[in-house]
Amino acid sequence: MKVAVNTRLLLKDRLEGIGWVACETLRRMVTAHPEVDFYFFFDREPDAKFIFADNVKPIVLFPQARHPFLYIWYFELSVTRALRKINPDLFFSPDGYMSLRTKTPSVIQFHDLNFEHFPKDMPKIHLWHYKTFFPRFAKKAKRIVTVSEFSKQDIVDCYHVNPDKIDVAYNGVNEIFAPISDKEQTEIRNRYTEGSPYFMFVGSLHPRKNLARLFTAFDLFKSQTPSDVKLLIVGEKRWWSGPIQQAYEKMRFQSDVIFAGRLSAEDLHKVTASALASVYVSYFEGFGIPILEAFRCDTPVITSNVTSMPEVADDAALLADPFSEASIAEAMTEMLDETRRQELIEKGRERANDFSWDKAAEAIWKCLMRVVDYDW
């Protein structure tokens, strides 16, 4: 059997959310099925570490697709031609993009439809592309896999897709995330926050990550609860917008906010494991891997009470209203109670056991096999 895969987000030292999901699940599928030939479609020369096994055949297609017009060129022309030449049994796309012109049965993975709910957060040209093509992708694909029951229902509601066509494969979490010693925690705090305890945020600094309200909430927390607690922001400022900048500039306790930038997986692990709490109060998420990363590190979590986040966290996190700075600040204050923190740590440790990349890869593979109806 031959399976072609869109792997354009497997980028050396630049793996982000969807790229990480693709990397972790594809590596497991490839190694679990050596009898299958996998054709990985890259848009640049791939790093050797992404050729996970001998049954992976890398193919570089033109152009490098990082703009809506180039997406059309890449998927409608280059991918279509490659599929016609290879003639695989199916095509799988972990980032939701696909060819509308191909006759190859296709499975796409949608992570969320945030652009349908918060269109103002997207650059206009990207919004046009998403709203034009993603409904058509959903209709043409043989099956859709997504990362939460919330996202499944959202796809059904937005695109009127039969729910029987959609499978849920919950994300996993990198096994590097684990508790670290008190000595290591002290070293991390000394390195990043001059020894002070800190709340941490990790993610792309995108408007839907709700940084503007997080800054205001942290200011409110500091004004109501005098302490030396800092706020550590992990992520690149690629999507840094006017409202985020304005909220930051208005902060009374601006000097207590530290920007760590993008961190390696090892450093992110240690920063997560040393935090007073992880604060992940996006107003829209299809899943929320940082919730699980914190759980595995014995770090308590504050997250949002909307979209997929209550589904992922269950009862193991403090849920706050992401649209209320007062609600977020109140949760921060509650995290100063050590008894409450320990209770959440224990619950988070248990909840993390419900998720793994092995389970995610197996669920995606089952979805793919429903398309080809292959008897394993």
Side-chain angles (χ1 to χ4, degrees):
M1 187 171 70
K2 296 187 288 188
V3 176
V5 187
N6 164 29
T7 53
R8 68 185 185 91
L9 295 186
L10 297 186
L11 302 171
K12 182 181 179 181
D13 300 325
R14 291 172 59 192
L15 285 178
E16 294 186 344
I18 297 175
W20 274 114
V21 175
C23 181
E24 295 292 347
T25 53
L26 289 173
R27 179 168 61 235
R28 286 164 172 79
M29 285 191 285
V30 163
T31 55
H33 298 282
E35 72 286 353
V36 176
D37 291 326
F38 290 87
Y39 295 81
F40 280 11
F41 293 171
F42 296 91
D43 68 353
R44 63 202 70 198
E45 285 298 324
D47 187 88
K49 71 179 182 181
F50 296 127
I51 313 305
F52 301 123
D54 292 339
N55 56 331
V56 173
K57 298 173 175 57
I59 297 175
V60 179
L61 303 178
F62 183 83
Q64 292 188 359
R66 293 299 180 271
H67 184 278
F69 295 135
L70 297 180
Y71 297 155
I72 297 171
W73 182 348
Y74 185 80
F75 286 99
E76 299 305 324
L77 296 178
S78 300
V79 168
T80 303
R81 282 196 297 263
L83 291 174
R84 189 181 303 124
K85 182 177 180 180
I86 296 167
N87 191 29
D89 294 273
L90 64 89
F91 173 68
F92 172 51
S93 179
D95 65 10
Y97 293 82
M98 62 175 285
S99 165
L100 294 172
R101 303 174 65 201
T102 186
K103 294 181 180 179
T104 302
S106 299
V107 177
I108 55 176
Q109 185 169 15
F110 280 172
H111 296 263
D112 64 61
L113 301 180
N114 68 86
F115 57 90
E116 295 286 0
H117 303 276
F118 298 95
K120 292 183 179 179
D121 289 348
M122 297 290 298
K124 289 184 179 180
I125 187 63
H126 289 270
L127 178 64
W128 167 81
H129 185 269
Y130 280 128
K131 292 184 75 70
T132 299
F133 284 88
F134 270 55
R136 299 168 69 186
F137 293 159
K139 182 178 180 180
K140 181 175 175 61
K142 289 293 185 180
R143 294 199 69 78
I144 299 170
V145 61
T146 192
V147 293
S148 64
E149 292 293 340
F150 164 79
S151 283
K152 176 178 178 175
Q153 189 60 50
D154 200 33
I155 296 165
V156 172
D157 293 342
C158 288
Y159 297 153
H160 310 293
V161 175
N162 186 330
D164 292 339
K165 178 179 171 175
I166 307 173
D167 296 301
V168 173
Y170 285 115
N171 288 328
V173 59
N174 194 322
E175 294 180 358
I176 192 176
F177 288 91
I180 61 176
S181 68
D182 291 343
K183 179 182 178 182
E184 288 178 296
Q185 291 183 39
T186 298
E187 291 172 352
I188 290 295
R189 287 192 292 269
N190 288 338
R191 185 195 307 178
Y192 288 96
T193 60
E194 299 180 339
S196 296
Y198 59 88
F199 294 117
M200 71 165 291
F201 161 86
V202 59
S204 59
L205 308 193
H206 187 279
R208 73 183 170 97
K209 300 297 184 178
N210 211 22
L211 278 169
R213 290 189 183 90
L214 177 58
F215 288 147
T216 304
F218 181 69
D219 238 15
L220 182 59
F221 160 77
K222 292 285 287 188
S223 64
Q224 295 176 340
T225 312
S227 70
D228 62 344
V229 175
K230 310 289 186 184
L231 176 61
L232 185 66
I233 305 295
V234 180
E236 294 179 325
K237 289 186 176 181
R238 186 171 57 178
W239 296 93
W240 188 265
S241 65
I244 299 175
Q245 180 67 29
Q246 291 166 16
Y248 175 68
E249 290 177 350
K250 290 179 180 178
M251 290 187 70
R252 175 184 169 191
F253 295 93
Q254 188 182 105
S255 62
D256 289 324
V257 179
I258 296 101
F259 293 90
R262 183 185 180 88
L263 298 180
S264 67
E266 181 180 357
D267 285 342
L268 176 59
H269 158 226
K270 292 181 179 180
V271 163
T272 302
S274 303
L276 179 68
S278 173
V279 186
Y280 193 72
V281 286
S282 306
Y283 50 75
F284 197 99
E285 291 291 340
F287 189 81
I289 290 176
I291 297 171
L292 300 186
E293 291 172 346
F295 284 170
R296 281 187 58 90
C297 290
D298 281 357
T299 298
V301 173
I302 298 168
T303 194
S304 299
N305 61 3
V306 298
T307 67
S308 67
M309 289 163 280
E311 180 182 345
V312 175
D314 199 27
D315 68 342
L318 294 183
L319 300 183
D321 179 354
F323 300 101
S324 167
E325 292 89 346
S327 178
I328 300 169
E330 182 179 345
M332 290 177 170
T333 301
E334 189 170 348
M335 279 298 181
L336 298 182
D337 182 335
E338 188 58 28
T339 300
R340 184 67 170 126
R341 287 186 72 254
Q342 289 303 316
E343 176 187 340
L344 291 168
I345 287 169
E346 292 175 8
K347 288 184 175 181
R349 193 182 299 146
E350 293 179 6
R351 181 58 174 159
N353 291 330
D354 294 333
F355 303 89
S356 75
W357 287 123
D358 288 339
K359 292 179 181 178
E362 182 179 358
I364 294 172
W365 184 254
K366 287 180 179 179
C367 176
L368 299 181
M369 292 305 98
R370 289 190 181 102
V371 172
V372 297
D373 197 24
Y374 203 85
D375 184 10
W376 292 95

